[in-house]
Amino acid sequence: MESDHLSEVFDLVEVRGVVSGGFAVRGPWFTEADVTEAMKFTAMVAGRARLDADGLDEPIELEAGDVAIMNGRSWLRAEGGTGAPRRWVEPDPRFVGAALGEVDRSVDDVVIGGRIELNAAGRTLLAHALPPVAHVRASAANAGHVQDLLDRMFEEGSRGRAGSAFALRQYGQLLLLEAVRAYVGQAELPPGWLRALTDERLGPALALMHGEPGGPWGLDALAKAAAMSRTSFAERFRAVAGVPPLTYLHRWRILLAQRALRDGDVRVGALAAELGYGSESAFSTAFKREVGESPLKYRRRLRDGVAPMRRGQRRVGSGAVSERAPR
């Protein structure tokens, strides 16, 4: 994989893995919730569980070290242990110190949950790159770093040291990256940017588009870089990336433009020239078509701190294991 390209994409779409809570429980249990976030993840630190969500034909069996990334789901349910009655568990957003002080990982089920935060462009990119539920298995040869991170997250949370909240945020970020890397190595990816970044034959063409996005790249030049005929290159690129090569290049340029407008004071005309557009007007038209507003309005909105309208999010309450019958 072109890891530098993946890092750049993650930066551009502002991907962040945020740990939102977790729990440790012994014996039969269950938890369920409506999902309001576009993407969530559930990680099995220790024990076993069965995870179900809309879009699955049957529940997923999670083992220690497994991670499930839920993409555009509306509800989830997880249960563990054997026997009855099952106790209802609500994830604890604190999940540090005393909450983990008495955990025995040899017999307890320990689960960490979180959300994946990204900007509008990121939601589109990841939504097309991942299936409804991506199951990253600890047993996969390339998933060792996922288990290591879960162990570190558990240790950090259980010790409750100063700065643990900051550390968990960093680990949540790395957990997401490692989970995506592991998933790429163990599954047949659907067409999209993530699959394109892993395609060796398209690598040289992608290197041109990512390295010099403002270059005069047409099908002939890109196909030549990939050592393919124009027709074969166009067909393979569309099959792998899900869009034609020049559409991919256009969207990549717009992502770069969004970062430049967000983080700097570059003039729109200079940015248009840098990204290969013939005029400021052509760039503004292309930007508005992709983003929904002009470059200047986009910059002004971000500088004023006005976010696009989002669906409301339900606040997670402080949780503990409680007695409640399954719904």
Side-chain angles (χ1 to χ4, degrees):
M1 174 185 290
E2 295 286 349
S3 57
D4 54 339
H5 294 337
L6 181 60
S7 296
E8 190 171 14
V9 171
F10 267 42
D11 283 339
L12 283 172
V13 302
E14 302 174 310
V15 176
R16 292 201 313 137
V18 180
V19 177
S20 58
F23 59 84
V25 60
R26 189 173 305 177
W29 60 271
F30 81 97
T31 188
E32 57 189 3
D34 295 328
V35 179
T36 57
E37 300 90 349
M39 287 196 168
K40 285 182 64 68
F41 67 86
T42 297
M44 202 76 204
V45 180
R48 300 173 61 92
R50 292 166 297 282
L51 176 70
D52 200 5
D54 53 316
L56 288 176
D57 294 330
E58 58 184 17
I60 291 174
E61 297 289 336
L62 296 178
E63 299 182 350
D66 284 10
V67 177
I69 301 176
M70 283 154 280
N71 177 14
R73 302 303 87 201
S74 63
W75 60 267
L76 67 85
R77 176 187 170 91
E79 61 180 40
T82 57
R86 293 190 182 277
R87 294 177 293 168
W88 178 65
V89 184
E90 184 175 359
D92 188 339
R94 295 166 300 176
F95 201 57
V96 293
L100 297 177
E102 303 299 325
V103 173
D104 182 348
R105 294 180 60 179
S106 66
V107 294
D108 293 338
D109 294 328
V110 184
V111 179
I112 292 176
R115 65 185 182 274
I116 300 172
E117 294 184 345
L118 5 99
N119 59 24
R123 286 192 292 275
T124 299
L125 286 174
L126 271 185
H128 290 124
L130 296 174
V133 179
H135 183 191
V136 181
R137 295 176 175 83
S139 58
N142 59 347
H145 290 302
V146 174
Q147 180 67 73
D148 291 343
L149 279 170
L150 291 176
D151 290 341
R152 292 179 188 179
M153 293 170 75
F154 175 82
E155 180 181 2
E156 190 67 46
S158 62
R159 296 179 68 180
R161 298 178 298 175
S164 61
F166 176 81
L168 284 172
R169 287 196 295 271
Q170 307 312 305
Y171 286 142
Q173 190 83 331
L174 289 173
L175 176 64
L176 173 61
L177 175 60
E178 290 296 342
V180 170
R181 282 173 170 170
Y183 184 74
V184 167
Q186 71 182 36
E188 179 66 28
L189 295 173
W193 64 271
L194 192 55
R195 183 174 168 186
L197 293 182
T198 68
D199 190 279
E200 293 184 0
R201 294 198 65 187
L202 297 182
L206 286 167
L208 289 181
M209 290 189 278
H210 283 252
E212 298 181 54
W217 307 124
L219 275 180
D220 290 334
L222 295 173
K224 183 178 180 181
M228 300 171 67
S229 71
R230 176 189 173 106
T231 300
S232 296
F233 172 75
E235 290 176 350
R236 183 178 183 88
F237 198 101
R238 184 168 194 131
V240 171
V243 295
L246 298 186
T247 299
Y248 179 97
L249 175 60
H250 163 68
R251 292 179 179 175
W252 179 244
R253 287 170 169 171
I254 296 300
L255 284 173
L256 292 172
Q258 287 177 277
R259 179 174 64 179
L261 292 166
R262 181 179 67 241
D263 299 340
D265 294 315
V266 62
R267 292 175 54 250
V268 174
L271 183 58
E274 180 182 341
L275 292 176
Y277 290 91
S279 67
E280 180 176 338
S281 175
F283 167 66
S284 296
T285 298
F287 188 95
K288 186 173 183 178
R289 184 184 302 115
E290 191 72 24
V291 180
E293 57 189 339
S294 70
L296 289 177
K297 286 186 177 180
Y298 176 83
R299 169 184 277 165
R300 189 178 305 118
R301 175 173 60 78
L302 293 184
R303 297 290 173 86
D304 292 342
V306 179
M309 183 66 68
R310 287 183 175 182
R311 290 183 178 181
Q313 295 183 344
R314 188 180 67 176
R315 184 179 295 276
V316 178
S318 59
V321 177
S322 62
E323 302 290 342
R324 195 175 89 169
R327 289 188 291 185

